[in-house]
Amino acid sequence: MRFPRGRPIIENTRLEFINLDNVLSAAKRERAHRISGYVVVTYHDTAELIFLNQGEPFNAARIAPERREIVPIGEVVEKAKKSSIGTLSEYATDELLLKLMISSVTLKPLKTQVDLTRIQPRIFIDKLKTSKFNGFIWVRTGLDESFIYFENGVIPVCYIAGWTEKAVEEEVYPTLAKPEARVAVFDRLEKAVAVQATPAQVDMF
């Protein structure tokens, strides 16, 4: 599965060559690792993500083609340590992308399964603009996930799967036009994202 990437810190490294504890504690040792972003562990049918705030893990999710859920950080860590397959990547991103990714897991969409073969993507987007829509569109094409963010009917930024840089509105239409595109509309973002205890904090008790 692919998500918007941001700046790569580690990319597509096999789990057997990674010390995940060192990756997650790097911010304590080096200022350069105090980033907002995410670590993604990719298995053949699932992506498990650990979200970072200033380099510190604060939440985690499991995303599969037909399942999306928040999971304990420790569960993701332990599975990765025991696995002999899978790859790990770490990306520095802005906080808005993290909120979009987490909100797409935790919130119920306003509308799902929007059929863009029956309504042209530009007409669909224009309707949301005209209504002064606030929220975001989640787009899945195959195993790729992208996000289109709205503020009062304006699209200030888009995040496209696999892209390092942010995108503008015109650049997202080819993704929306793909026959396999699945679209859901969310009318808000999570205002306050829950912060989990890290495995190290749990071990203190």
Side-chain angles (χ1 to χ4, degrees), residues 1-4 40 42-47 49 63-68 138-147 160-162 175 178 180-182:
M1 301 189 76
R2 291 197 312 166
F3 306 91
V40 57
T42 304
Y43 302 101
H44 72 281
D45 60 347
T46 309
L49 299 107
I63 297 178
E66 301 301 329
R67 188 178 74 255
R68 309 168 68 78
W138 167 86
V139 186
R140 175 177 279 173
T141 50
L143 296 178
D144 290 355
E145 297 199 1
S146 303
F147 302 88
I160 299 177
T175 298
K178 292 181 178 179
E180 70 273 25
R182 292 173 51 196

Side-chain angles (χ1 to χ4, degrees), residues 18-31:
I18 286 284
N19 184 317
L20 188 50
D21 288 331
N22 285 347
V23 172
L24 296 179
S25 63
K28 293 181 172 65
R29 300 187 303 273
E30 297 181 45
R31 193 178 193 87

